[in-house]
Amino acid sequence: MLSPVTTLSEPTTTTDTYLDGLNDAQRAAVLHMDGQLLIVAGAGTGKTTVITRRIARMIATGVVKSDGVLALTFTDKAAGEMVERIENALPLGAYDLWISTFHAFCQKVLERHALDIGLPNDFALLTQTDAYLLVRKHFDRFALDYYKPRGNPTKFIHALLTHFSRLKDEAISVDQYLAYAKEMALAKDSSATDQEESSRIGELANAYHTYQQLLVDQNCLDFGDLLMYTLELFQKRPGILQKYQEQFQQIVVDEFQDTNWVQYELVKLLAGARKNVTVVGDDDQAIYKFRGASVANILQFATDFPVARRIVLTENYRSTQNILDLSYDFIVQNNPNRLEATLTAQGEEMSKKLVAKGSAAEGVIRHLHYATLDEEVRGVIETIVTLREADGKKAWSDFCILVRSNSGAIDFSLELARRGIPYQFLALKGLYGKPIILDCIAYLSLLANFHDSASVYRVLSCPAYRVSDHDLGQMMHQATKKTLSLYEVVRDHALMKELAEETHTVLTRFLGDMEKHIALAKRAAVSEVFVRFVYDSGYIKHFTKDESLAMEQIALLKQFNDRLKRFETLSPETTLTRFMDEFVLERDSGEEGSLAFDIETGPDMVRIMTVHAAKGLEYPYVFIVGMVDKRFPTVALGGDPIPVQEALIKEKVGGGDAHLEEERRLFYVAMTRAKQGLFFSSAEDYGGKLKKKLSRFMTEMGFVVEGGEKGGKVERVDGGLPMPAQVSAREALQYVIPATFSFTQLAAYAKCPLQYKFSHVLRVPILGKHQMSFGKTMHATLEQFMKELQLRQGKTQSSLFEIASLPAVARNDILPVSRDELFAMYEKAWIDDWYPDKPTKETYRKEGRRMLEEFYADAVAHVPKPLHLEKEFRIAIGGYMVKGKIDRIDSGEGTKVEIVDYKTGSPKEEGKLSSDDKKQLLLYQLAATRGLGLDVAGLTYQYLEDGSKVSFLGTEKELVKFEEDIASSIEAISNADFLPNPGMHCKFCDFANICEYGQ
């Protein structure tokens, strides 16, 4: 049984700032140092504050080292926020924090230890789309009979992949599945139905085996593998598990209700005998069953950790009391399958009813019921406009429209766009349907097949060229009349005298771009062709000039460029033609392209999103729309298309309607996003033959519509709504200052603030340089060489000092990593991008081998003793967090270390460094001494071009000046000071082609 909340005997003082402003339950949670703890944190009760202050306090008071806490959550954003808050709460310095998502933690572990269970540690990580394409490409290896579709041979790929993912959620290995299938096949006295089922399961088990073998063959893992193989590693290699158990004295799991079975097993293994486990969650907000989450885990925790202390956070700092009361009265209808009801039934009192601690005023709760969907859309938006105009202090971003599915957002998006109201539809899918991306895809398609008339039409209509509708119509008419492709008409445009002079100019430019990019596509990677197009065509310049569009549109371009880069990482052939072949398969599979968004960036705008996307967010006014039967709650579709057999499922499932209860939790999450205004909307006519009934959720809350008149709490709105006036266009951009800065960012700002804005605010994709490709190749090669050297030095019995004492001839190739292996690493790391021609590429390739030959000879003569490689750090400077990665830290005499950074060039002046040249290593010196506690004896730039080394050590005066410069730069960035600083450096700027101030 869980132990109730008790008062701790640990003394506290009024100077304990980690307890400032906390309520009693929050204080109790922060003060809890040892043992098992369950924090039940209702919506808006400050759980992130509790988690971060508790961790910061444990580190600050010496209860645990910074790398002795493992904090796990579910999104990079949540992990980043936790890191930022903890570092801000600690004394200034750098901290080695292990705070990440479950998947990121497991990836880090496997990159270190995958070899210990027979897996490569340099694996590539596949997304769901990558996995689909891999199976599609090798579909002939799957011996399918039961699941072999008629017509489309790949119809069931997504279903199979979902099935495999669910198996991994339950940590069911290939061997276990095959054994289960064999057991079914050997069962005696089975009926014909049983035999068919046995055959089906055997087919699935073999398909699972084939898929896992495909991943191994391709040196890949998928996201489910990260969890399953880490669990296998800890189960099979107790020595490795013990290492992590000893390191992590405290384990904290946020959003515990969203964990699946394998994630919970990992937590229990890592907890070990110490069992210092804190889980934070709310079963009423468990909304991810569709992706494997197990709400049973939070109910099971009480059984697995029977002496766990329980603290319930019920003081809500977000919503008004009437909104909280309505939400609570609704969610209790999920009893008895709730933690509150379960524990109460066991004789332990527990109340999760939330108490508002903000404004004493009542919030607005309204249900707006309309005759038609069109009136519902217009009515909701008119309500938003009215509320905003009634209070001049309200912003568009105070309003959020929540939909149950993406399709429910379309009509609201179109109406907001028609009205000129700034809005953002925060969908997780749909990149390929964005107009700017459709333009880019059309151009790439055109390069692969320039007789694709639809693509020609789209490209010539886009902002990059903008041919008038009249002239496009003339050319389309000519193409039809002469039975030509539109490209052929464009090619001979000089013959069409009826076209405007401006059109002829544009078409000449378009044909020139086409000719240049077709030639480029024959030798360059597809991402280079894409970036060249957005620059050469003027598309990127078009958007950087219009700041009301810049951040959103350029973010989409960057995401598409990231998709191209991912293709290049996974494909042996990176050409445009190969990408378009793959892209067609991807689109045919129904893939819409993943979208990433940051809710806290961009202009002031109304947000539209699904309820799932709204988890963790809050808004003053929330509109939950489409509250009718079969829309919310949705109709249960029977779960996964290929469900995992019940005999294999380890989750303990309670009774009741699981789908309806999940929908109730989802609706509860939607309601508790609202701070002061909660609106529901519905309509009777959504385009079908029958009138829609009101959602059962509305009637469960007491909202009814009787005979067309007002009933209960309903506000019925009849037709005839006036067409609202146009609202002003998008407003000025609001730049969000990043939580952390890198040296690259700060160096860019110091050189030119406008360059910083292009690169780190707007994030404009850049035209690459072959020198950059070469530099990355050399760094990747040396990183891999040093990692392998460090690994083998730790395993060899030979003394490095014995090797160093040998004559140079005798020492040759005696390093644990051979010269040939170094060159093999070089070939594997080679980046082919952005070289202007083949001769230039070969010249650099030979030069790289020469540099490595000299580097290896130097390594033999002066054996490196790497202590840390690619060491990440975050350090507070001038009140701001600066992050980075140190190439190499070598062991020196005694406890001293030397920091080494590689440069592919040669020093500007032999043996001398300017103050600007020193800055990067000065940052590393601060990070190593202040954050890592190392005794730095020297800072060295190792120049690969001439084999020289330049060393120094920053003086106290230099370090103080460096910190002042950083603080000054970040202060200017905070003030959005992005004025240009033109000069000689403009010649080498990545954005010279789009900057009007360049010299």
Side-chain angles (χ1 to χ4, degrees):
M1 181 180 293
L2 294 172
S3 58
V5 177
T6 57
T7 303
L8 290 181
S9 59
E10 177 182 337
T12 60
T13 67
T14 55
T15 59
D16 195 337
T17 57
Y18 297 104
L19 304 177
D20 288 351
L22 301 183
N23 60 47
D24 290 344
Q26 290 174 329
R27 286 170 61 90
V30 171
L31 288 170
H32 183 95
M33 292 291 108
D34 293 305
Q36 307 146 33
L37 175 64
L38 168 63
I39 301 175
V40 181
T45 56
K47 71 177 178 66
T48 304
T49 297
V50 168
I51 294 171
T52 53
R53 289 211 196 174
R54 180 169 178 263
I55 293 174
R57 186 175 182 275
M58 284 191 291
I59 295 171
T61 56
V63 171
V64 66
K65 293 181 180 179
S66 62
D67 66 349
V69 180
L70 174 63
L72 299 169
T73 186
F74 284 86
T75 65
D76 292 328
K77 182 177 183 295
E81 182 182 356
M82 287 173 66
V83 169
E84 181 185 353
R85 288 205 197 184
I86 291 169
E87 289 180 333
N88 288 340
L90 288 168
L92 298 185
Y95 302 93
D96 190 8
L97 299 171
W98 283 67
I99 298 175
S100 69
T101 64
F102 272 93
H103 289 94
F105 167 72
C106 290
Q107 183 173 354
K108 190 172 183 178
V109 170
L110 288 178
E111 285 172 346
R112 295 181 175 188
H113 303 291
L115 292 173
D116 293 286
I117 52 172
L119 294 171
N121 58 0
D122 60 345
F123 55 83
L125 188 59
L126 298 187
T127 65
Q128 186 177 20
T129 299
D130 298 329
Y132 171 87
L133 293 169
L134 178 65
V135 174
R136 176 68 177 81
K137 181 179 180 181
H138 298 279
F139 193 66
D140 57 335
R141 289 179 56 175
F142 290 80
L144 298 179
D145 180 30
Y146 187 96
Y147 285 106
K148 185 175 183 179
R150 298 176 181 178
N152 181 358
T154 58
K155 181 179 179 182
F156 290 120
I157 289 179
H158 281 304
L160 285 170
L161 289 173
T162 299
H163 183 65
F164 301 155
S165 177
R166 295 294 176 262
L167 291 169
K168 294 174 185 182
D169 289 341
E170 299 287 332
I172 300 168
S173 69
V174 167
D175 289 343
Q176 289 171 329
Y177 205 11
L178 288 170
Y180 175 76
K182 184 178 181 180
E183 183 182 327
M184 288 191 68
L186 293 175
K188 296 180 179 179
D189 303 324
S190 57
S191 65
T193 302
D194 292 336
Q195 291 174 7
E196 182 183 47
E197 178 66 2
S198 172
S199 176
R200 184 182 75 87
I201 298 303
E203 182 173 306
L204 286 172
N206 286 319
Y208 186 32
H209 178 255
T210 301
Y211 174 65
Q212 291 302 101
Q213 189 59 50
L214 261 179
L215 293 176
V216 171
D217 293 345
Q218 301 294 320
N219 198 31
C220 296
L221 300 182
D222 64 20
F223 280 92
D225 287 329
L226 293 177
L227 302 173
M228 186 175 70
Y229 284 135
T230 302
L231 182 63
E232 180 184 333
L233 172 73
F234 290 156
Q235 289 171 336
K236 289 185 175 180
R237 302 290 180 258
I240 294 175
L241 172 61
Q242 184 180 357
K243 170 181 176 287
Y244 285 102
Q245 287 174 334
E246 290 174 353
Q247 176 182 344
F248 300 130
Q249 299 171 47
Q250 294 279 348
I251 298 173
V252 180
V253 184
D254 188 21
E255 302 288 5
F256 184 66
Q257 76 279 352
D258 293 335
T259 55
N260 59 29
W261 187 88
V262 69
Q263 288 165 335
Y264 187 25
E265 286 301 299
L266 284 169
V267 170
K268 288 189 286 188
L269 276 178
L270 287 165
R274 187 184 289 119
K275 294 186 182 297
N276 276 343
V277 179
T278 297
V279 298
V280 186
D282 179 11
D283 58 301
D284 290 333
Q285 297 186 71
I287 60 173
Y288 293 114
K289 177 69 177 175
F290 70 92
R291 67 184 191 196
S294 173
V295 68
N297 283 349
I298 199 167
L299 304 175
Q300 181 66 23
F301 186 83
T303 301
D304 295 335
F305 295 87
V307 298
R309 186 167 178 229
R310 169 174 51 81
I311 296 174
V312 186
L313 305 182
T314 56
E315 295 188 15
N316 177 283
Y317 297 88
R318 176 188 298 163
S319 307
T320 58
Q321 190 62 54
N322 59 333
I323 291 177
L324 295 177
D325 290 343
L326 181 66
S327 302
Y328 180 78
D329 292 343
F330 171 77
I331 197 59
V332 294
Q333 294 175 85
N334 266 358
N335 288 343
N337 293 324
R338 296 175 59 247
L339 180 64
E340 181 182 37
T342 300
L343 294 180
T344 300
Q346 294 174 358
E348 189 172 346
E349 291 186 9
M350 177 186 191
S351 174
K352 292 177 60 182
K353 187 175 178 63
L354 301 179
V355 178
K357 301 301 289 184
S359 172
E362 277 203 345
V364 178
I365 300 177
R366 292 172 64 188
H367 174 205
L368 308 177
H369 187 67
Y370 301 87
T372 67
L373 170 61
D374 179 61
E375 291 187 7
E376 179 186 2
V377 170
R378 289 166 49 201
V380 165
I381 295 172
E382 180 64 16
T383 303
I384 291 173
V385 172
T386 301
L387 286 168
R388 183 174 181 269
E389 290 178 347
D391 182 352
K393 295 180 180 179
K394 287 188 179 71
W396 291 118
S397 54
D398 288 337
F399 301 92
C400 177
I401 298 173
L402 294 181
V403 295
R404 176 60 184 86
S405 63
N406 285 333
S407 59
I410 296 173
D411 293 288
F412 291 91
S413 299
L414 291 174
E415 180 63 14
L416 286 166
R418 190 197 67 75
R419 294 277 309 276
I421 295 175
Y423 78 95
Q424 185 178 28
F425 177 27
L426 301 175
L428 300 178
K429 295 281 187 181
L431 175 65
Y432 302 151
K434 297 295 184 181
I436 188 173
I437 303 304
L438 286 171
D439 293 343
C440 295
I441 292 171
Y443 190 79
L444 295 179
S445 177
L446 189 55
L447 295 181
N449 174 19
F450 47 79
H451 290 299
D452 179 357
S453 293
S455 292
V456 176
Y457 185 90
R458 172 111 206 166
V459 171
L460 292 179
S461 303
C462 81
Y465 299 104
R466 193 79 75 183
V467 173
S468 69
D469 290 342
H470 175 271
D471 284 359
L472 274 173
Q474 292 286 336
M475 289 188 287
M476 289 293 290
H477 176 72
Q478 181 74 355
T480 303
K481 179 180 176 182
K482 298 293 184 181
T483 320
L484 300 170
S485 69
L486 184 54
Y487 176 80
E488 290 174 305
V489 174
V490 171
R491 183 189 60 196
D492 298 327
H493 67 90
L495 301 176
M496 294 188 67
K497 305 302 181 184
E498 62 269 35
L499 300 181
E501 188 65 33
E502 181 183 356
T503 297
H504 285 296
T505 301
V506 170
L507 294 179
T508 299
R509 177 166 63 87
F510 165 72
L511 290 170
D513 290 343
M514 282 277 295
E515 181 180 3
K516 180 167 48 177
H517 297 149
I518 288 172
L520 180 65
K522 292 177 181 178
R523 60 174 175 78
V526 61
S527 63
E528 181 176 346
V529 178
F530 164 71
V531 177
R532 288 284 183 192
F533 159 65
V534 297
Y535 274 88
D536 294 346
S537 66
Y539 214 152
I540 200 78
K541 199 167 188 176
H542 168 78
F543 285 115
T544 51
K545 283 187 173 181
D546 185 354
E547 290 208 2
S548 67
L549 297 172
M551 290 191 74
E552 183 179 355
Q553 298 301 312
I554 291 174
L556 294 174
L557 289 176
K558 183 182 182 302
Q559 289 178 53
F560 187 66
N561 191 45
D562 290 342
R563 169 67 186 92
L564 298 177
K565 287 290 188 183
R566 181 161 188 81
F567 158 77
E568 292 167 6
T569 299
L570 297 172
S571 176
E573 185 182 349
T574 62
T575 62
L576 166 69
T577 302
R578 178 71 185 85
F579 172 75
M580 292 309 299
D581 290 342
E582 179 178 296
F583 187 71
V584 169
L585 295 177
E586 185 178 346
R587 291 291 293 269
D588 287 347
S589 77
E591 180 59 51
E592 303 171 47
S594 297
L595 276 169
F597 58 83
D598 187 345
I599 196 69
E600 296 173 351
T601 63
D604 176 27
M605 56 180 70
V606 175
R607 314 288 182 181
I608 309 176
M609 68 188 81
T610 64
V611 183
H612 282 102
K615 180 75 181 296
L617 304 176
E618 59 184 44
Y619 295 90
Y621 297 92
V622 169
F623 290 76
I624 309 174
V625 300
M627 291 305 304
V628 294
D629 185 42
K630 296 183 176 60
R631 288 201 168 199
F632 205 168
T634 59
V635 177
L637 298 178
D640 294 327
I642 307 177
V644 176
Q645 292 68 41
E646 285 190 21
L648 294 172
I649 296 176
K650 303 177 180 75
E651 175 188 352
K652 297 179 181 178
V653 182
D657 187 333
H659 173 75
L660 180 61
E661 289 175 4
E662 174 105 349
E663 290 287 297
R664 275 206 192 95
R665 292 193 294 269
L666 190 62
F667 189 61
Y668 175 78
V669 167
M671 296 169 72
T672 53
R673 300 310 94 195
K675 298 168 75 172
Q676 61 194 70
L678 178 59
F679 295 79
F680 311 101
S681 72
S682 55
E684 295 174 2
D685 181 2
Y686 284 86
K689 292 182 179 180
L690 301 176
K691 286 186 177 181
K692 282 286 187 182
K693 294 181 180 179
L694 203 60
S695 164
R696 66 175 290 167
F697 289 170
M698 300 305 297
T699 56
E700 286 175 358
M701 292 187 297
F703 294 93
V704 292
V705 178
E706 299 173 351
E709 301 297 329
K710 292 183 180 180
K713 302 174 185 176
V714 166
E715 178 175 345
R716 183 183 180 92
V717 183
D718 294 323
L721 282 172
M723 189 65 72
Q726 192 83 356
V727 178
S728 60
R730 292 173 179 261
E731 298 171 18
L733 285 172
Q734 299 171 345
Y735 297 112
V736 176
I737 304 306
T740 59
F741 291 84
S742 68
F743 178 78
T744 302
Q745 289 173 285
L746 296 169
Y749 189 84
K751 188 175 293 181
C752 175
L754 185 57
Q755 181 192 49
Y756 171 89
K757 178 182 177 181
F758 281 138
S759 183
H760 301 289
V761 178
L762 299 179
R763 298 178 184 175
V764 178
I766 63 171
L767 284 166
K769 298 181 176 70
H770 62 274
Q771 296 93 336
M772 186 66 70
S773 297
F774 180 69
K776 288 181 178 179
T777 297
M778 297 300 292
H779 272 76
T781 302
L782 296 180
E783 177 189 352
Q784 185 58 38
F785 172 78
M786 284 295 170
K787 281 183 177 179
E788 198 63 31
L789 179 65
Q790 185 183 45
L791 177 66
R792 296 185 191 180
Q793 283 176 346
K795 293 182 177 180
T796 183
Q797 298 302 310
S798 300
S799 166
L800 293 176
F801 298 103
E802 290 175 5
I803 295 174
S805 66
L806 293 172
V809 175
R811 282 189 263 134
N812 190 39
D813 261 0
I814 204 168
L815 285 178
V817 186
S818 71
R819 180 185 281 99
D820 289 342
E821 286 179 297
L822 173 61
F823 289 141
M825 294 172 185
Y826 176 59
E827 292 303 322
K828 186 176 181 180
W830 180 262
I831 299 173
D832 232 13
D833 301 343
W834 300 102
Y835 289 90
D837 49 53
K838 192 171 183 179
T840 302
K841 184 193 302 183
E842 289 308 309
T843 298
Y844 271 85
R845 203 165 202 145
K846 291 178 182 177
E847 180 66 3
R849 290 181 68 87
R850 181 194 67 77
M851 291 180 183
L852 292 176
E853 186 79 43
E854 292 188 10
F855 176 87
Y856 193 86
D858 180 73
V860 170
H862 309 92
V863 180
K865 292 176 283 184
L867 178 66
H868 297 292
L869 297 171
E870 299 297 310
K871 183 65 177 177
E872 295 182 354
F873 66 84
R874 296 163 68 94
I875 183 171
I877 297 180
Y880 301 97
M881 295 306 302
V882 180
K883 63 181 178 180
K885 190 183 291 185
I886 303 174
D887 280 358
R888 188 173 122 205
I889 303 175
D890 284 1
S891 297
E893 294 183 8
T895 59
K896 294 187 179 297
V897 299
E898 178 185 13
I899 295 175
V900 180
D901 192 74
Y902 307 118
K903 298 294 181 186
T904 51
S906 56
K908 297 174 185 176
E909 189 176 348
E910 187 175 350
K912 293 184 179 180
L913 296 171
S914 69
S915 58
D916 284 342
D917 292 333
K918 289 183 177 182
K919 285 181 178 179
Q920 185 171 4
L921 286 183
L922 289 176
L923 173 60
Y924 294 171
Q925 181 180 344
L926 283 172
T929 55
R930 183 185 298 169
L932 304 175
L934 299 175
D935 185 1
V936 180
L939 309 171
T940 298
Y941 282 122
Q942 184 167 354
Y943 293 94
L944 302 177
E945 185 174 332
D946 61 3
S948 65
K949 299 177 183 178
V950 179
S951 300
F952 71 100
L953 188 65
T955 65
E956 186 62 29
K957 182 178 180 181
E958 287 176 316
L959 292 173
V960 170
K961 176 66 166 57
F962 174 68
E963 290 194 71
E964 290 174 349
D965 289 345
I966 285 182
S968 177
S969 292
I970 296 178
E971 192 66 34
I973 292 171
S974 302
N975 295 326
D977 181 1
F978 301 128
L979 294 176
N981 178 33
M984 291 294 292
H985 51 264
C986 291
K987 181 180 178 181
F988 307 102
C989 180
D990 292 325
F991 309 102
N993 291 347
I994 62 173
C995 178
E996 58 188 291
Y997 304 100
Q999 289 186 0

